Amino acid sequence: MNYFELFNIPVNLLVDTLALKKQFYVLSRKFHPDFFSTASAEEQEDALQKSAMLNKALKVFSSPDETIKYVLQLKGLLEDDEKYQLPPAFLMDVMEVNEQLADAKMDGSEQQITTLKLEIEALQKKLYEPVKNIVEGYKDGITTEKELLQIKNYYFQKKYIDRMLGNFEF
């Protein structure tokens, strides 16, 4: 059983978090181990596993990036700890911004750092544009593998930029 099946929702790259939280509370009451104290050992174990799975699923679905990762893994297009080869042009762009950011930090230029942060955020938006319609219009079984591979490329590029932003204080 995958997380979507557990929550009885369609596989999607975007999850309605309000509906998800409501369903989480319904399911967490249904599978809470305390309600299975008089049940068989097998039923108690099943409830415990589903309860733990609910918590993991909520954590995944609460993060758009983690939801994308999970769907790509479900489709067999992403491995844990996969070493993905980012496009050279992307790496050159990011390296240039990274160098400018390091120089600005050394110079203590808050204004330049703020400007670079805005550039990085603009780069994130630029990365999303080509996949926006795929992410927002995802239909399980209809969205093609080629489109999902575009999402995979976006996922790794965004992850790289997020990591870069996390290394600096703004």
Side-chain angles (χ1 to χ4, degrees):
M1 172 179 293
N2 68 48
Y3 295 163
F4 293 99
E5 293 167 341
L6 179 64
F7 274 86
N8 196 28
I9 58 175
V11 176
N12 210 324
L13 296 171
L14 297 174
V15 176
D16 179 350
T17 54
L18 290 176
L20 180 78
K21 286 181 182 177
K22 288 178 185 177
Q23 182 69 348
F24 172 78
Y25 291 120
V26 168
L27 292 172
S28 63
R29 282 191 293 273
K30 179 179 178 181
F31 296 121
H32 196 282
D34 289 350
F35 297 129
F36 291 83
S37 60
T38 59
S40 71
E42 185 178 304
E43 290 172 318
Q44 287 178 9
E45 180 62 27
D46 184 55
L48 188 62
Q49 287 177 355
K50 285 184 178 168
S51 182
M53 190 177 184
L54 275 172
N55 291 318
K56 289 177 187 174
L58 182 66
K59 185 176 180 183
V60 166
F61 291 150
S62 295
S63 165
D65 292 340
E66 288 299 310
T67 302
I68 287 172
K69 177 182 176 184
Y70 185 73
V71 171
L72 290 172
Q73 288 174 325
L74 276 179
K75 299 300 177 185
L77 298 174
L78 182 75
E79 302 282 327
D80 278 333
D81 300 321
E82 181 175 333
K83 304 293 182 210
Y84 186 75
Q85 186 65 41
L86 292 165
F90 168 78
L91 291 173
M92 292 299 291
D93 289 345
V94 169
M95 188 172 76
E96 184 178 316
V97 172
N98 232 351
E99 288 172 0
Q100 292 173 6
L101 189 54
D103 290 343
K105 285 192 78 155
M106 286 179 64
D107 295 341
S109 172
E110 290 295 321
Q111 183 178 1
Q112 190 176 6
I113 291 171
T114 301
T115 300
L116 288 169
K117 179 184 180 195
L118 293 173
E119 285 182 33
I120 293 169
E121 290 170 348
L123 178 59
Q124 280 183 318
K125 288 178 184 171
K126 180 181 169 187
L127 290 173
Y128 185 65
E129 279 306 310
V131 297
K132 179 181 180 189
N133 290 336
I134 300 168
V135 171
E136 294 174 6
Y138 178 85
K139 299 281 187 235
D140 194 39
I142 295 173
T143 300
T144 67
E145 183 174 312
K146 181 180 177 183
E147 291 171 318
L148 286 172
L149 290 173
Q150 289 177 275
I151 298 295
K152 180 178 179 177
N153 189 55
Y154 161 75
Y155 168 78
F156 277 103
Q157 288 177 343
K158 183 175 184 307
K159 187 174 167 180
Y160 190 93
I161 289 175
D162 289 345
R163 205 171 31 245
M164 185 178 78
L165 284 171
N167 289 332
F168 297 94
E169 291 181 54
F170 293 102

